[in-house]
Amino acid sequence: MFKKLTLEDLDVKGKRVLVRVDFNIPLDTKGEITDDLRITTALPTIRYISDNHGKAILMSHLGRPKGKVQDDKRLTPVSKRLSRLLGKEVKKMPDCVGAEVKEAIFKMKEGDIILLENLRFHIEEEKNDPTFSKELASLGDLYVNDAFAVSHRKHASTFGVPRLFPQAAAGFLLKQEVEYLDRVNNPDRPFVAIIGGAKVSTKVPIIKNLLKKVDTLIIGGGMAYTFLKALGRPIGHSLVEDDMVDVAKDILIMSIADEVPILYPIDHLIATSMSTDAQTKIVHRGGILEDWYGVDVGPLTIKKFIDCLKGAKTILWNGPLGICEIDRFSKGTRELANFIAASNALSIVGGGDSSAFVIKEGLFDKMTHVSTGGGACLQFLAGEELPGISILTDK
Ligand code: ADP
Ligand code: MG
């Protein structure tokens, strides 16, 4: 159960509703939006405010301008796309604070939508500066956070601003993210999690938290080689974090103590380098050659992982099983993604690269939930508090 006030609990009619959204979208060199998921997923909240005669004042960051105005990080392409998607004009402000913004907001009519300029043009945003927070807060009567992806940050717009409102509520996207990700705390069983990706160090808190919740844990990707090294297996030149080998051993011991089986790759696609034109071969467990790199899981591993997932009622997936950006090394990740997409289990995908892969493969709609929050999602799955959510008003 979601325990925070939500947008539907607010009476928005005639009110200035200050909404933190995450429009940190990818732009190509020409300034064209290459993926508008972060805009489309915010539409329900924006439409609700406008349709219910509120005045929506949207605020977001884009990229890392570090307190300087940078023309290629203006939110102009976003306001244009938003206007088109909503079928109504979304006026973009030249700044996020100041007299001109105040005047424009003063002139707003019910149902109008305004987009403030990139918050991170002011260094005060990331510093959670109290004066800047006050200025932003003065622009609204009500506050809504719909930016799950930045809710792990204690910034002005996510933390300093909502503190100044008697009513700070969650938008629809944020609520949906929390409700789905929270299923890991109360899953239909069997619950199987697959953790892959590059670095053990970034995944240790999640693995430790999940060991208390899952029925089986599957480990793949570059991360698996640190565990295989801990088990004394040859790993050649594969990605490894030597300072994490002891932590991997601790996790292995924890899994025995918690009686949670961990599955590892039992065969590998190895390559002479991590590039497209490398020579490759499949080797069994223990067969990784000295100068070669493990770049993907092998066919027996895929079968073993999928056999385990067949009985699952809840599947959580974070982290690719191989170097999925390179087509030749993406088979394991693709087969896993396709299996999860076709399964009847409740499926949750988290992590920036894993979500991007699912979108690229056209499987987004086939998963129960694909998180829009990279770091925020990982922090949530590690069982840690997200300040931007904790600060919202309790129900
Ligand atoms: P997410 O963003 O989904 O949490 P990560 O950031 O942890 O995932 O990991 C994604 C990265 O892991 C990708 O760039 C991928 O190339 C890399 N990766 C996966 N398997 C390997 C491997 N065997 N060797 C090197 N890198 C790998
Ligand atoms: Mg990543």
Side-chain angles (χ1 to χ4, degrees):
M1 253 292 282
F2 191 68
K3 299 187 189 79
K4 297 293 182 182
L5 215 62
T6 64
L7 179 51
E8 280 169 316
D9 300 317
L10 303 178
D11 180 11
V12 300
K13 188 174 173 0
K15 299 274 171 49
R16 298 169 301 157
V17 189
L18 188 59
V19 191
R20 178 46 157 118
V21 280
D22 177 25
F23 289 157
N24 184 27
I25 38 94
L27 294 167
D28 64 16
T29 45
K30 288 190 209 121
E32 304 279 340
I33 299 172
T34 54
D35 171 12
D36 67 359
L37 184 73
R38 288 194 155 153
I39 303 177
T40 54
T41 48
L43 292 176
T45 286
I46 302 168
R47 279 204 184 103
Y48 180 91
I49 296 168
S50 180
D51 291 351
N52 286 281
H53 313 285
K55 302 168 188 175
I57 301 148
L58 312 177
M59 56 178 174
S60 176
H61 76 286
L62 175 62
R64 295 172 186 263
K66 300 216 178 297
K68 299 220 165 58
V69 176
Q70 290 179 8
D71 282 335
D72 63 343
K73 294 191 176 60
R74 290 196 180 275
L75 286 166
T76 319
V78 175
S79 66
K80 285 187 187 148
R81 179 67 58 95
L82 204 49
S83 302
R84 208 173 80 204
L85 290 168
L86 290 166
K88 90 188 269 163
E89 198 207 346
V90 176
K91 213 182 202 180
K92 205 220 51 162
M93 296 287 105
D95 199 352
C96 61
V97 288
E100 202 175 335
V101 172
K102 282 205 169 127
E103 201 188 316
I105 292 176
F106 184 73
K107 287 186 187 150
M108 281 175 94
K109 295 191 195 70
E110 290 184 5
D112 279 357
I113 303 161
I114 271 184
L115 174 62
L116 305 181
E117 187 54 283
N118 194 339
L119 292 162
R120 290 193 189 166
F121 285 173
H122 294 261
I123 198 76
E124 293 86 351
E125 159 67 357
E126 288 181 81
K127 291 198 153 54
N128 188 23
D129 178 83
T131 313
F132 182 68
S133 295
K134 249 191 213 164
E135 267 190 75
L136 280 175
S138 74
L139 305 177
D141 305 305
L142 299 165
Y143 173 92
V144 171
N145 181 1
D146 209 24
F148 175 75
V150 279
S151 294
H152 58 316
R153 306 275 185 220
K154 244 181 175 170
H155 292 169
S157 63
T158 56
F159 196 74
V161 175
R163 276 169 81 167
L164 302 171
F165 283 83
Q167 284 194 315
F172 298 131
L173 173 63
L174 187 139
K175 180 177 179 232
Q176 185 189 327
E177 287 272 9
V178 172
E179 279 182 340
Y180 278 119
L181 296 178
D182 202 38
R183 293 294 290 268
V184 306
N185 294 315
N186 191 13
D188 285 342
R189 294 188 183 279
F191 172 25
V192 181
I194 309 120
I195 306 293
K199 287 190 174 171
V200 180
S201 47
T202 61
K203 305 286 164 96
V204 168
I206 300 181
I207 294 174
K208 286 190 173 166
N209 188 41
L210 287 176
L211 273 180
K212 290 181 246 141
K213 305 178 192 295
V214 295
D215 297 292
T216 305
L217 182 67
I218 295 177
I219 289 184
M223 213 182 71
Y225 299 103
T226 302
F227 283 89
L228 295 176
K229 183 161 184 177
L231 288 165
R233 302 248 164 81
I235 57 161
H237 268 331
S238 306
L239 193 71
V240 69
E241 285 168 279
D242 283 315
D243 54 346
M244 283 288 133
V245 172
D246 282 340
V247 177
K249 282 183 187 161
D250 290 345
I251 289 171
L252 296 173
I253 292 168
M254 275 174 68
S255 83
I256 296 168
D258 293 339
E259 295 183 53
V260 172
I262 298 185
L263 305 188
Y264 304 96
I266 51 169
D267 60 350
H268 308 268
L269 177 71
I270 60 169
T272 46
S273 74
M274 293 198 190
S275 58
T276 329
D277 53 1
Q279 208 185 313
T280 61
K281 60 170 115 181
I282 301 279
V283 292
H284 284 218
R285 186 198 319 257
I288 299 182
L289 302 170
E290 223 171 89
D291 292 334
W292 292 53
Y293 300 78
V295 291
D296 195 5
V297 289
L300 295 177
T301 304
I302 299 172
K303 185 174 178 316
K304 180 175 155 177
F305 288 0
I306 285 178
D307 279 347
C308 168
L309 291 169
K310 273 181 186 155
K313 290 229 169 68
T314 306
I315 299 173
L316 170 71
W317 173 35
N318 164 247
L321 296 185
I323 306 177
C324 62
E325 299 88 343
I326 298 178
D327 198 50
R328 291 177 70 201
F329 308 154
S330 64
K331 190 164 190 269
T333 308
R334 182 169 296 109
E335 291 200 12
L336 174 73
N338 280 317
F339 176 84
I340 300 174
S343 109
N344 290 325
L346 181 112
S347 52
I348 302 164
V349 183
D353 293 282
S354 314
S355 301
F357 186 82
V358 165
I359 293 164
K360 192 180 97 206
E361 297 288 311
L363 300 172
F364 182 83
D365 291 330
K366 300 210 167 70
M367 306 292 184
T368 313
H369 182 67
V370 180
S371 181
T372 55
C377 171
L378 300 192
Q379 195 162 320
F380 191 98
L381 294 174
E384 289 160 25
E385 217 175 79
L386 274 57
I389 298 176
S390 307
I391 196 75
L392 300 177
T393 314
D394 287 323
K395 222 171 189 159

